[in-house]
Each structure stands twice: as structure tokens, then as C-alpha cells.
């Protein structure tokens, strides 16, 4: 499938998995909108890296839970590159705590970004992605592990999976695939924050490959779904080295 003249929006792409996805899709030939919510310098670094490698990219600040800001981002993508073919929603936050101890304001924050943000981005994508395009959301493999402390985060990602599976069916007739990628433990700032070396080593051994995933591992899966997939649709793909 040719990516010539095609455009991708990648939310949360100033760092981590989103950054790796933006750079990989640019390498694949997509023009890329690098979305960020706060760190403009990091987003510009991603744009610079893409341009240095010969790709096309712009940065756009938008809170994914703000429908006005997200609509403006889609407007900017269409104005700059002529249309939208792929949307990857990787923006998300994670707060870990036992259910009995979790602050409800942290639960609300995760619901706002992870659930409302996914819904808002997917709503614009459903309206604007061109026929033959792709929508990819990010979930987590931790749901199947039932690890204490992850209840609120896993619950928010369960909602992400439901949104994707239903949207795939609502887009019948437009040849747009909608899938969710569920990474296992991946070496990003989001995952590593607050964990000691012993816990990280323990989680790395949960899969038979006996290592953490890398952002590039996940970007490889999304690259396929965005540019070479025409038949996998409405699915949750577990990218975790065989953890489940």
C-alpha cells in the first residue's frame, strides 16, 4: 500500500511510544502531525528528527479531551497536508494505586485523558479519516494480568478497547480499519516512573523473551496496521512478547 500523499495524526507523540510511532510512520512515508499537551520542546525535537530524516511533520498542541482543540488539530492537518488517512491515539496517563487508596481525583484524571480523550479523538477520526484509512488506539496488556495497583488504569483502557471495537463496526462501508494495540511492559518514562530495579526486572521476565518491550517494538506493529493492513479490523492486538 502506497503512503505517498498520506497523513497521520499521532497523539501524545512528544515522547515514549507516541514519539517512536510518529518517527516510524514518517519513515514509512506519511506526513505526520505530532500532537502534544505540554512539552513543546520535546514535540519540536520529534518534528526536527523527522525532518532531518527527510520526512514531513508539524507539531500541534491539543489536550485530547478538549473537543475544540482536537477539532482544530484535525483542521490544521487538513490545511497543511490536504487530508487525514491515519489516526493513532497514544496519549494517556497512568496512576497506580490499590483501589482502597486511590485518590478519586486521580481516577477522574485518567478517565478524562484515557477515556474521554480516546472518544474525542476517535469521534473526529470517524468524521474525517479518508476512505481506506486506519485508526489505532493504545490499550494495555495488564488487564489480563490482574496486577494489584493497576485497577483504575486497566479499567480506563478497557473502555478504550470497547470504543475501538464498536467504531470498527460503525464505519462499515468506508474501508477504514479500527484496531487497538495493547503493549506489555515497555521501557518508557510512563512505565519506569516510580519502579525500582527489582520490580522492573521482575516484570521484564513476565514474557518468554525475558525483556521489556521497546517503543520501537510497538511502533512496528502500528506501522503495519497503519500502512499495510486491510483485513485485521475491530481487534485488540497484544504486543507483549508472549506475556499472555
Amino acid at each position: 500500500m502506497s503512503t505517498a500523499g498520506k497523513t497521520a495524526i499521532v497523539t501524545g507523540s512528544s515522547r515514549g511510544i507516541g514519539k517512536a510511532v510518529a518517527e516510524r510512520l514518517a519513515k514509512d512515508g506519511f506526513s505526520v502531525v505530532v500532537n502534544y499537551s505540554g512539552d513543546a520542546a520535546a514535540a519540536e525535537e520529534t518534528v526536527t528528527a523527522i525532518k532531518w530524516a527527510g520526512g514531513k511533520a508539524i507539531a500541534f498542541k491539543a489536550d485530547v479531551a478538549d473537543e475544540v482543540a482536537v477539532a482544530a488539530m484535525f483542521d490544521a492537518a487538513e490545511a497543511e497536508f490536504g487530508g487525514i488517512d491515519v489516526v493513532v491515539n497514544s496519549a494517556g496517563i497512568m496512576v497506580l494505586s490499590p483501589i482502597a487508596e486511590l485518590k478519586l481525583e486521580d481516577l477522574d484524571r485518567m478517565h478524562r485523558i484515557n477515556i474521554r480523550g480516546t472518544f474525542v479523538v476517535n469521534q473526529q477520526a470517524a468524521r474525517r479519516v479518508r476512505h481506506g484509512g486506519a485508526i489505532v488506539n493504545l490499550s494495555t496488556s495488564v488487564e489480563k494480568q490482574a496486577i494489584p495497583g493497576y485497577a483504575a488504569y486497566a479499567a480506563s483502557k478497557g473502555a478504550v478497547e470497547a470504543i475501538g471495537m464498536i467504531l470498527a463496526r460503525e464505519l462499515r462501508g468506508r474501508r477504514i480499519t479500527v484496531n487497538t494495540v495493547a503493549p506489555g511492559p515497555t521501557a518508557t518514562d510512563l512505565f519506569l516512573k516510580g519502579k525500582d530495579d527489582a520490580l522492573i526486572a521482575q516484570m521484564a521476565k513476565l514474557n518468554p523473551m525475558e525483556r521489556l518491550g521497546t517503543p520501537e517494538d510497538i511502533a512496528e506493529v502500528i506501522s503495519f496496521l497503519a500502512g499495510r493492513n486491510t483485513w485485521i479490523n475491530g481487534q485488540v492486538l497484544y504486543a507483549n512478547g508472549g506475556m499472555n
Side-chain angles (χ1 to χ4, degrees):
M1 296 174 63
S2 173
T3 58
K6 293 188 176 181
T7 302
I9 295 175
V10 185
T11 70
S13 51
S14 61
R15 58 171 60 87
I17 290 173
K19 176 181 174 67
V21 171
E23 293 181 354
R24 175 55 194 261
L25 293 185
K27 182 179 179 181
D28 290 344
F30 288 92
S31 299
V32 180
V33 176
V34 175
N35 163 256
Y36 69 100
S37 62
D39 194 340
E44 287 299 338
E45 286 179 8
T46 304
V47 169
T48 298
I50 289 171
K51 289 182 175 179
W52 184 85
K56 297 179 181 179
I58 60 170
F60 197 96
K61 180 178 181 178
D63 173 356
V64 292
D66 181 340
E67 66 273 25
V68 175
V70 170
M73 176 173 64
F74 277 70
D75 288 343
E78 291 173 337
E80 183 73 19
F81 298 122
I84 301 159
D85 303 280
V86 170
V87 174
V88 180
N89 186 51
S90 65
I93 62 172
M94 178 171 66
V95 180
L96 303 182
S97 172
I99 293 172
E101 300 170 13
L102 182 69
K103 296 178 181 178
L104 292 182
E105 55 262 37
D106 289 333
L107 177 68
D108 291 342
R109 285 174 56 221
M110 280 191 285
H111 278 210
R112 183 179 184 277
I113 300 299
N114 298 355
I115 300 177
R116 179 185 169 92
T118 297
F119 195 96
V120 168
V121 170
N122 278 241
Q123 186 175 65
Q124 286 296 322
R127 295 170 178 172
R128 308 225 211 172
V129 168
R130 292 186 282 207
H131 284 228
I135 301 167
V136 184
N137 295 312
L138 271 289
S139 180
T140 177
S141 290
V142 78
E143 288 177 70
K144 289 183 176 289
Q145 297 296 310
I147 300 172
Y150 279 84
Y153 178 68
S156 73
K157 290 301 188 176
V160 169
E161 294 178 9
I163 290 167
M165 287 187 285
I166 293 170
L167 182 57
R169 287 149 181 83
E170 291 180 348
L171 296 181
R172 175 184 292 272
R174 289 176 56 187
R175 293 185 295 108
I176 295 172
T177 60
V178 186
N179 291 292
T180 303
V181 174
T186 304
T188 65
D189 291 341
L190 181 67
F191 171 77
L192 297 173
K193 183 179 179 181
K195 297 181 177 68
D196 59 29
D197 290 344
L199 179 57
I200 292 170
Q202 177 185 346
M203 297 192 77
K205 290 185 178 295
L206 289 175
N207 69 76
M209 311 303 287
E210 295 191 337
R211 68 171 177 86
L212 295 179
T214 68
E216 290 72 25
D217 290 328
I218 311 307
E220 177 72 20
V221 177
I222 294 173
S223 169
F224 167 73
L225 293 174
R228 300 185 298 282
N229 168 54
T230 59
W231 196 235
I232 299 171
N233 190 28
Q235 304 300 312
V236 179
L237 283 74
Y238 292 90
N240 56 29
M243 185 176 75
N244 298 105

